[in-house]
Amino acid sequence: MKEVSILGRSIPLRQRTKAQLKGINIGESLTFFFYDGEFYGMNLLFLKPKKNNPTPRECSITADRMQTIFGMPVVFILSSGPSYERQRLIDKNVYFVMGDKFAFLPTLVANERMRKTRPAKRLSLVAQYMLLYHLQVESLEGLSAREMIGKLPYSYGSITLGLTCLEDLNLCQKVSNGSKSKIVHFLAKGRNLWDKAQGYLVDPVEKRLYCDALKSDTKYPNCSINALSHYSWLNPDDNRMVMMSKKELQRLIDNKALLNMNEFDGKVMIEVWKYPVVSFSGSTSEWVDKLSLAINLREDSDARVEGELLRIINEIEWKD
């Protein structure tokens, strides 16, 4: 098989050699042909059954295993099948191309649509997280999207879209490293890159809520003025200030763990954030990161807050 058609576009395929299939078992090698292909800058591993279509459950298990081994999205090239089989594959989030008429490739389609639309005007949440991680935690310079898996709390497809957004805003370039993959090259360093991104940054806070008590043993990261006081000479607020995700908030609401929740005042302020704390993967952070904090508080009218934020940024040890 030399090519496959996706959304009317012919994708050249390169069959993998035995040396390129290290890690798979004998059953997998007897069941599938393995191909490499690229769709709008995204490297994909295509699996074509040697006989009949595997069940949707078998496809799901195999896709998870292949992505763990090879670190890239898996797309099954399947023979035409009934509608209920396609729906079961979709329900299990299995990427597939079935005959000439059907394909389920949500992340890939999103990537294609992004390339067809006008360049981004603001950073996407994934792109902003990647930028702040690169500046504060460890450099992503010279890494491919595949090499960023495990470092960032996002999938390969999301990372690829994030890099596309950064490239659209002229903050980085995706360049060839002499192999089949592309690596990221940032177009500025440290403070210069931070300054270059100023017009594209988005507030990480989605909304604020208050309550009189938070009945949970979970330790949520501190945020807002209390986080700023940790990094600066400002005194902390008497009230507790924590950040969490929308899912975490909903879990607390379902468990009736928030006493007298409202949108105006309380002893506990809860900020619902659009992305996780920027930190090493798997680490537990007591405080939100400095640059996200600076983005969130940059409109604060208190001159002391403005001054401390400027001092913090001036003293950051840039990681790139």
Side-chain angles (χ1 to χ4, degrees), residues 138-149:
E138 64 176 334
S139 175
L140 298 177
E141 176 72 24
L143 298 184
S144 65
R146 186 187 309 174
E147 291 170 326
M148 296 179 196
I149 298 174

mmCIF file with all atom_site columns, all heavy atoms in Angstrom, residues 138-149:
data_model
loop_
_atom_site.group_PDB
_atom_site.id
_atom_site.type_symbol
_atom_site.label_atom_id
_atom_site.label_alt_id
_atom_site.label_comp_id
_atom_site.label_asym_id
_atom_site.label_entity_id
_atom_site.label_seq_id
_atom_site.pdbx_PDB_ins_code
_atom_site.Cartn_x
_atom_site.Cartn_y
_atom_site.Cartn_z
_atom_site.occupancy
_atom_site.B_iso_or_equiv
_atom_site.pdbx_formal_charge
_atom_site.auth_seq_id
_atom_site.auth_comp_id
_atom_site.auth_asym_id
_atom_site.auth_atom_id
_atom_site.pdbx_PDB_model_num
ATOM 1  N N   . GLU A 1 138 ? 11.427 24.137 32.060 1.00 0.00 ? 138 GLU A N   1
ATOM 2  C CA  . GLU A 1 138 ? 12.582 23.639 31.314 1.00 0.00 ? 138 GLU A CA  1
ATOM 3  C C   . GLU A 1 138 ? 12.393 23.956 29.834 1.00 0.00 ? 138 GLU A C   1
ATOM 4  O O   . GLU A 1 138 ? 11.277 24.032 29.334 1.00 0.00 ? 138 GLU A O   1
ATOM 5  C CB  . GLU A 1 138 ? 12.785 22.140 31.517 1.00 0.00 ? 138 GLU A CB  1
ATOM 6  C CG  . GLU A 1 138 ? 11.662 21.277 31.001 1.00 0.00 ? 138 GLU A CG  1
ATOM 7  C CD  . GLU A 1 138 ? 11.951 19.795 31.124 1.00 0.00 ? 138 GLU A CD  1
ATOM 8  O OE1 . GLU A 1 138 ? 13.138 19.421 31.126 1.00 0.00 ? 138 GLU A OE1 1
ATOM 9  O OE2 . GLU A 1 138 ? 10.989 19.013 31.216 1.00 0.00 ? 138 GLU A OE2 1
ATOM 10 N N   . SER A 1 139 ? 13.494 24.126 29.152 1.00 0.00 ? 139 SER A N   1
ATOM 11 C CA  . SER A 1 139 ? 13.450 24.535 27.752 1.00 0.00 ? 139 SER A CA  1
ATOM 12 C C   . SER A 1 139 ? 12.865 23.441 26.862 1.00 0.00 ? 139 SER A C   1
ATOM 13 O O   . SER A 1 139 ? 13.162 22.257 27.028 1.00 0.00 ? 139 SER A O   1
ATOM 14 C CB  . SER A 1 139 ? 14.865 24.882 27.270 1.00 0.00 ? 139 SER A CB  1
ATOM 15 O OG  . SER A 1 139 ? 14.859 25.171 25.888 1.00 0.00 ? 139 SER A OG  1
ATOM 16 N N   . LEU A 1 140 ? 12.024 23.857 25.925 1.00 0.00 ? 140 LEU A N   1
ATOM 17 C CA  . LEU A 1 140 ? 11.493 22.954 24.902 1.00 0.00 ? 140 LEU A CA  1
ATOM 18 C C   . LEU A 1 140 ? 12.234 23.129 23.579 1.00 0.00 ? 140 LEU A C   1
ATOM 19 O O   . LEU A 1 140 ? 11.900 22.473 22.593 1.00 0.00 ? 140 LEU A O   1
ATOM 20 C CB  . LEU A 1 140 ? 10.002 23.226 24.694 1.00 0.00 ? 140 LEU A CB  1
ATOM 21 C CG  . LEU A 1 140 ? 9.091  22.990 25.908 1.00 0.00 ? 140 LEU A CG  1
ATOM 22 C CD1 . LEU A 1 140 ? 7.662  23.383 25.561 1.00 0.00 ? 140 LEU A CD1 1
ATOM 23 C CD2 . LEU A 1 140 ? 9.159  21.545 26.390 1.00 0.00 ? 140 LEU A CD2 1
ATOM 24 N N   . GLU A 1 141 ? 13.217 24.007 23.549 1.00 0.00 ? 141 GLU A N   1
ATOM 25 C CA  . GLU A 1 141 ? 13.985 24.278 22.337 1.00 0.00 ? 141 GLU A CA  1
ATOM 26 C C   . GLU A 1 141 ? 14.597 22.987 21.795 1.00 0.00 ? 141 GLU A C   1
ATOM 27 O O   . GLU A 1 141 ? 15.204 22.196 22.513 1.00 0.00 ? 141 GLU A O   1
ATOM 28 C CB  . GLU A 1 141 ? 15.105 25.278 22.632 1.00 0.00 ? 141 GLU A CB  1
ATOM 29 C CG  . GLU A 1 141 ? 16.030 25.574 21.467 1.00 0.00 ? 141 GLU A CG  1
ATOM 30 C CD  . GLU A 1 141 ? 15.392 26.426 20.369 1.00 0.00 ? 141 GLU A CD  1
ATOM 31 O OE1 . GLU A 1 141 ? 14.433 27.161 20.683 1.00 0.00 ? 141 GLU A OE1 1
ATOM 32 O OE2 . GLU A 1 141 ? 15.862 26.361 19.221 1.00 0.00 ? 141 GLU A OE2 1
ATOM 33 N N   . GLY A 1 142 ? 14.392 22.753 20.491 1.00 0.00 ? 142 GLY A N   1
ATOM 34 C CA  . GLY A 1 142 ? 14.999 21.604 19.840 1.00 0.00 ? 142 GLY A CA  1
ATOM 35 C C   . GLY A 1 142 ? 14.254 20.298 20.018 1.00 0.00 ? 142 GLY A C   1
ATOM 36 O O   . GLY A 1 142 ? 14.742 19.250 19.584 1.00 0.00 ? 142 GLY A O   1
ATOM 37 N N   . LEU A 1 143 ? 13.078 20.331 20.657 1.00 0.00 ? 143 LEU A N   1
ATOM 38 C CA  . LEU A 1 143 ? 12.307 19.104 20.854 1.00 0.00 ? 143 LEU A CA  1
ATOM 39 C C   . LEU A 1 143 ? 11.227 18.968 19.784 1.00 0.00 ? 143 LEU A C   1
ATOM 40 O O   . LEU A 1 143 ? 10.702 19.956 19.281 1.00 0.00 ? 143 LEU A O   1
ATOM 41 C CB  . LEU A 1 143 ? 11.638 19.098 22.232 1.00 0.00 ? 143 LEU A CB  1
ATOM 42 C CG  . LEU A 1 143 ? 12.548 19.126 23.462 1.00 0.00 ? 143 LEU A CG  1
ATOM 43 C CD1 . LEU A 1 143 ? 11.702 19.016 24.728 1.00 0.00 ? 143 LEU A CD1 1
ATOM 44 C CD2 . LEU A 1 143 ? 13.584 18.020 23.413 1.00 0.00 ? 143 LEU A CD2 1
ATOM 45 N N   . SER A 1 144 ? 10.886 17.748 19.460 1.00 0.00 ? 144 SER A N   1
ATOM 46 C CA  . SER A 1 144 ? 9.756  17.483 18.575 1.00 0.00 ? 144 SER A CA  1
ATOM 47 C C   . SER A 1 144 ? 8.495  17.363 19.430 1.00 0.00 ? 144 SER A C   1
ATOM 48 O O   . SER A 1 144 ? 8.565  17.222 20.657 1.00 0.00 ? 144 SER A O   1
ATOM 49 C CB  . SER A 1 144 ? 9.978  16.181 17.806 1.00 0.00 ? 144 SER A CB  1
ATOM 50 O OG  . SER A 1 144 ? 9.990  15.078 18.709 1.00 0.00 ? 144 SER A OG  1
ATOM 51 N N   . ALA A 1 145 ? 7.336  17.402 18.786 1.00 0.00 ? 145 ALA A N   1
ATOM 52 C CA  . ALA A 1 145 ? 6.080  17.247 19.518 1.00 0.00 ? 145 ALA A CA  1
ATOM 53 C C   . ALA A 1 145 ? 6.053  15.919 20.262 1.00 0.00 ? 145 ALA A C   1
ATOM 54 O O   . ALA A 1 145 ? 5.577  15.835 21.398 1.00 0.00 ? 145 ALA A O   1
ATOM 55 C CB  . ALA A 1 145 ? 4.889  17.349 18.558 1.00 0.00 ? 145 ALA A CB  1
ATOM 56 N N   . ARG A 1 146 ? 6.579  14.886 19.644 1.00 0.00 ? 146 ARG A N   1
ATOM 57 C CA  . ARG A 1 146 ? 6.599  13.572 20.283 1.00 0.00 ? 146 ARG A CA  1
ATOM 58 C C   . ARG A 1 146 ? 7.443  13.592 21.555 1.00 0.00 ? 146 ARG A C   1
ATOM 59 O O   . ARG A 1 146 ? 7.096  12.964 22.557 1.00 0.00 ? 146 ARG A O   1
ATOM 60 C CB  . ARG A 1 146 ? 7.153  12.532 19.308 1.00 0.00 ? 146 ARG A CB  1
ATOM 61 C CG  . ARG A 1 146 ? 7.077  11.094 19.812 1.00 0.00 ? 146 ARG A CG  1
ATOM 62 C CD  . ARG A 1 146 ? 7.777  10.138 18.887 1.00 0.00 ? 146 ARG A CD  1
ATOM 63 N NE  . ARG A 1 146 ? 7.348  10.302 17.502 1.00 0.00 ? 146 ARG A NE  1
ATOM 64 C CZ  . ARG A 1 146 ? 7.903  9.645  16.490 1.00 0.00 ? 146 ARG A CZ  1
ATOM 65 N NH1 . ARG A 1 146 ? 8.884  8.812  16.697 1.00 0.00 ? 146 ARG A NH1 1
ATOM 66 N NH2 . ARG A 1 146 ? 7.471  9.848  15.258 1.00 0.00 ? 146 ARG A NH2 1
ATOM 67 N N   . GLU A 1 147 ? 8.544  14.325 21.533 1.00 0.00 ? 147 GLU A N   1
ATOM 68 C CA  . GLU A 1 147 ? 9.436  14.377 22.695 1.00 0.00 ? 147 GLU A CA  1
ATOM 69 C C   . GLU A 1 147 ? 8.846  15.207 23.842 1.00 0.00 ? 147 GLU A C   1
ATOM 70 O O   . GLU A 1 147 ? 9.338  15.146 24.971 1.00 0.00 ? 147 GLU A O   1
ATOM 71 C CB  . GLU A 1 147 ? 10.803 14.946 22.285 1.00 0.00 ? 147 GLU A CB  1
ATOM 72 C CG  . GLU A 1 147 ? 11.594 14.016 21.387 1.00 0.00 ? 147 GLU A CG  1
ATOM 73 C CD  . GLU A 1 147 ? 12.832 14.668 20.790 1.00 0.00 ? 147 GLU A CD  1
ATOM 74 O OE1 . GLU A 1 147 ? 12.775 15.894 20.508 1.00 0.00 ? 147 GLU A OE1 1
ATOM 75 O OE2 . GLU A 1 147 ? 13.835 13.962 20.602 1.00 0.00 ? 147 GLU A OE2 1
ATOM 76 N N   . MET A 1 148 ? 7.815  15.991 23.544 1.00 0.00 ? 148 MET A N   1
ATOM 77 C CA  . MET A 1 148 ? 7.167  16.788 24.595 1.00 0.00 ? 148 MET A CA  1
ATOM 78 C C   . MET A 1 148 ? 6.099  16.004 25.348 1.00 0.00 ? 148 MET A C   1
ATOM 79 O O   . MET A 1 148 ? 5.647  16.436 26.408 1.00 0.00 ? 148 MET A O   1
ATOM 80 C CB  . MET A 1 148 ? 6.537  18.049 23.980 1.00 0.00 ? 148 MET A CB  1
ATOM 81 C CG  . MET A 1 148 ? 7.540  19.004 23.373 1.00 0.00 ? 148 MET A CG  1
ATOM 82 S SD  . MET A 1 148 ? 6.726  20.451 22.631 1.00 0.00 ? 148 MET A SD  1
ATOM 83 C CE  . MET A 1 148 ? 8.058  21.095 21.613 1.00 0.00 ? 148 MET A CE  1
ATOM 84 N N   . ILE A 1 149 ? 5.689  14.853 24.800 1.00 0.00 ? 149 ILE A N   1
ATOM 85 C CA  . ILE A 1 149 ? 4.700  14.017 25.485 1.00 0.00 ? 149 ILE A CA  1
ATOM 86 C C   . ILE A 1 149 ? 5.284  13.561 26.813 1.00 0.00 ? 149 ILE A C   1
ATOM 87 O O   . ILE A 1 149 ? 6.415  13.103 26.890 1.00 0.00 ? 149 ILE A O   1
ATOM 88 C CB  . ILE A 1 149 ? 4.320  12.796 24.624 1.00 0.00 ? 149 ILE A CB  1
ATOM 89 C CG1 . ILE A 1 149 ? 3.675  13.242 23.312 1.00 0.00 ? 149 ILE A CG1 1
ATOM 90 C CG2 . ILE A 1 149 ? 3.372  11.874 25.386 1.00 0.00 ? 149 ILE A CG2 1
ATOM 91 C CD1 . ILE A 1 149 ? 3.411  12.105 22.352 1.00 0.00 ? 149 ILE A CD1 1
#
